[in-house]
Amino acid sequence: MFKLQWKHLGLALALMLTLLIAACGSEEEGSSSSAEGNDEGSEEVNYGEELGYEITGIEPGAGVVAAAEETTETYENLEGWEVVTSSSGAMATALGEAIDNEEPIIVTGWSPHWKFQKYDLKYLEDPEGVFGEAETINTMVRQGLQDEKPEAYKILDQFQWESADIESVMLEVSNGTAVEEAAAAWIEENSDKVAEWTDGTEAVDGTEIELAYVEWDTELASTNVIGQVLEAQGFDVTITPLDNAVMWQAVAEGQADAMVAAWLPGTHASQFETYGEDVEDLGPNLEGAKIGLVVPAYMDIESIEDLTPAE
Ligand code: PBE
């Protein structure tokens, strides 16, 4: 009696499984054939299904992740979508793998970044403006730095470069060069620019300077470059990688002397609101920065609004 029941159950389960596999198989076929046949317009491509309704994020503390999470609430068509956080490195690996296989992927992206030099990518249009407009990357120093370490203050104040500069350092690093080496090479090749940063300052003898940063590709490059420039002027420089909010807090509370990683007005708006009054804003060290959702150019989609909600 028992045996018989089990047997029936086994049969029923096997049947269900077969049906399920068949259903999944036909669904997959359906979605891939619509992805290939793009003559019917981008609405036909259900990337959401292929992506499991997931956006590939970076570190949880990043402003671009917070903004991406906001898009899933602002855009009705992103109902059921999720931003999966990891690290900037993991995002870059996932992007590279997707591109190698010509698969779809949506990442939380930003410029300047080497990925735009290495791959053919595009920002998805953001008609609701969740990611904001062009941004600047500003230098923030602790209060009292000007009085206590005027030479460092002046160099940090004069530090300013272009997207092409930082991208060339980042590209080297992404190709496997140690960041210290890439920074040193850039400094050597750009002595005119560096001379403008140190203009009017005198060398010091071992004054300690603590720079805070986050291990984003941009910040790794900029912090190493300005750190080495300070070192060449006689400073004893320590660079400390922290979480985004902790980086802001460290400068606000004076544990760190400075950071060159404040993305404003949008990306770090909430950190600026919390800590802005306790730091000194030395203004942009780079203009024309941007954040948003980034996809490979081969994806048949132009706007965040083209994505379809999870079923
Ligand atoms: N980023 C790089 C940071 C700022 C610098 C865009 C990943 C962020 O989203 O907070």
Side-chain angles (χ1 to χ4, degrees), residues 58 62-64 110 216 218-219 263 267-268 291:
I58 55 164
V64 71
W110 67 97
W216 298 312
T218 6
E219 286 39 53
W263 284 54
T267 308
H268 295 164
I291 62 167

CSV table of all heavy atoms in Angstrom, one decimal, residues 58 62-64 110 216 218-219 263 267-268 291, ligand 1:
chain,number,residue,atom,x,y,z
A,58,ILE,N,27.6,48.2,-7.0
A,58,ILE,CA,28.9,48.2,-6.4
A,58,ILE,C,28.8,48.2,-4.9
A,58,ILE,O,27.9,47.5,-4.4
A,58,ILE,CB,29.8,49.3,-7.0
A,58,ILE,CG1,29.1,50.7,-6.7
A,58,ILE,CG2,30.1,49.1,-8.4
A,58,ILE,CD1,30.1,51.9,-6.9
A,62,ALA,N,27.9,53.4,-1.8
A,62,ALA,CA,28.1,54.3,-2.9
A,62,ALA,C,26.9,55.1,-3.2
A,62,ALA,O,25.8,54.5,-3.2
A,62,ALA,CB,28.6,53.6,-4.1
A,63,GLY,N,27.1,56.3,-3.6
A,63,GLY,CA,25.9,57.2,-4.0
A,63,GLY,C,25.2,56.6,-5.2
A,63,GLY,O,24.0,56.7,-5.3
A,64,VAL,N,26.0,56.1,-6.1
A,64,VAL,CA,25.4,55.6,-7.4
A,64,VAL,C,24.4,54.4,-7.1
A,64,VAL,O,23.4,54.2,-7.8
A,64,VAL,CB,26.5,55.2,-8.4
A,64,VAL,CG1,27.3,54.0,-8.1
A,64,VAL,CG2,25.9,55.1,-9.8
A,110,TRP,N,29.8,55.0,-13.7
A,110,TRP,CA,30.2,56.4,-13.5
A,110,TRP,C,31.4,56.8,-14.4
A,110,TRP,O,32.1,55.9,-14.9
A,110,TRP,CB,30.6,56.7,-12.0
A,110,TRP,CG,31.8,56.0,-11.5
A,110,TRP,CD1,33.0,56.5,-11.4
A,110,TRP,CD2,31.9,54.7,-11.0
A,110,TRP,NE1,33.9,55.6,-10.8
A,110,TRP,CE2,33.3,54.5,-10.6
A,110,TRP,CE3,31.0,53.6,-10.8
A,110,TRP,CZ2,33.7,53.3,-10.0
A,110,TRP,CZ3,31.5,52.4,-10.3
A,110,TRP,CH2,32.8,52.3,-9.9
A,216,TRP,N,37.1,53.0,-4.8
A,216,TRP,CA,36.5,53.0,-6.2
A,216,TRP,C,37.7,53.3,-7.1
A,216,TRP,O,38.7,54.0,-6.7
A,216,TRP,CB,35.5,54.2,-6.3
A,216,TRP,CG,34.4,54.1,-5.3
A,216,TRP,CD1,33.6,53.0,-5.2
A,216,TRP,CD2,33.8,55.1,-4.5
A,216,TRP,NE1,32.6,53.3,-4.2
A,216,TRP,CE2,32.7,54.5,-3.8
A,216,TRP,CE3,34.2,56.4,-4.2
A,216,TRP,CZ2,31.9,55.3,-2.9
A,216,TRP,CZ3,33.4,57.1,-3.3
A,216,TRP,CH2,32.3,56.6,-2.7
A,218,THR,N,38.1,55.4,-9.5
A,218,THR,CA,38.4,56.9,-9.6
A,218,THR,C,39.3,57.3,-8.4
A,218,THR,O,40.3,58.0,-8.6
A,218,THR,CB,37.1,57.7,-9.6
A,218,THR,OG1,36.0,56.8,-9.4
A,218,THR,CG2,37.0,58.5,-10.9
A,219,GLU,N,38.8,57.0,-7.2
A,219,GLU,CA,39.4,57.5,-6.0
A,219,GLU,C,40.8,56.9,-5.7
A,219,GLU,O,41.7,57.5,-5.2
A,219,GLU,CB,38.5,57.3,-4.8
A,219,GLU,CG,37.3,58.2,-4.8
A,219,GLU,CD,36.6,58.5,-6.1
A,219,GLU,OE1,36.2,57.6,-6.8
A,219,GLU,OE2,36.4,59.7,-6.4
A,263,TRP,N,31.7,63.6,-4.4
A,263,TRP,CA,30.9,63.8,-5.7
A,263,TRP,C,29.7,64.6,-5.4
A,263,TRP,O,28.8,64.1,-4.7
A,263,TRP,CB,30.6,62.4,-6.2
A,263,TRP,CG,31.7,61.7,-6.9
A,263,TRP,CD1,32.9,61.4,-6.3
A,263,TRP,CD2,31.8,61.1,-8.2
A,263,TRP,NE1,33.7,60.7,-7.2
A,263,TRP,CE2,33.0,60.6,-8.4
A,263,TRP,CE3,30.8,61.1,-9.2
A,263,TRP,CZ2,33.4,59.9,-9.6
A,263,TRP,CZ3,31.2,60.5,-10.4
A,263,TRP,CH2,32.5,59.9,-10.6
A,267,THR,N,25.6,62.9,-6.0
A,267,THR,CA,26.0,61.5,-5.6
A,267,THR,C,26.2,61.4,-4.1
A,267,THR,O,25.7,60.5,-3.5
A,267,THR,CB,27.2,61.1,-6.4
A,267,THR,OG1,27.0,61.2,-7.8
A,267,THR,CG2,27.5,59.6,-6.1
A,268,HIS,N,26.9,62.4,-3.5
A,268,HIS,CA,27.1,62.4,-2.1
A,268,HIS,C,26.3,63.5,-1.4
A,268,HIS,O,26.7,64.0,-0.3
A,268,HIS,CB,28.6,62.6,-1.8
A,268,HIS,CG,29.4,61.4,-2.3
A,268,HIS,ND1,30.8,61.4,-2.5
A,268,HIS,CD2,29.0,60.2,-2.7
A,268,HIS,CE1,31.2,60.3,-3.0
A,268,HIS,NE2,30.2,59.5,-3.1
A,291,ILE,N,27.1,60.0,-13.1
A,291,ILE,CA,26.8,58.6,-12.7
A,291,ILE,C,25.5,58.2,-13.4
A,291,ILE,O,24.8,59.1,-13.9
A,291,ILE,CB,26.5,58.5,-11.2
A,291,ILE,CG1,25.4,59.4,-10.7
A,291,ILE,CG2,27.8,58.8,-10.4
A,291,ILE,CD1,24.9,59.1,-9.3
B,1,PBE,N1,31.3,56.3,-7.4
B,1,PBE,C1,32.7,56.7,-7.7
B,1,PBE,C2,31.1,56.9,-6.1
B,1,PBE,C3,31.7,58.2,-6.2
B,1,PBE,C4,32.9,57.9,-6.9
B,1,PBE,C5,30.4,56.9,-8.5
B,1,PBE,C6,31.2,54.9,-7.4
B,1,PBE,C7,29.7,56.8,-5.5
B,1,PBE,O1,28.8,56.3,-6.2
B,1,PBE,O2,29.4,57.2,-4.4
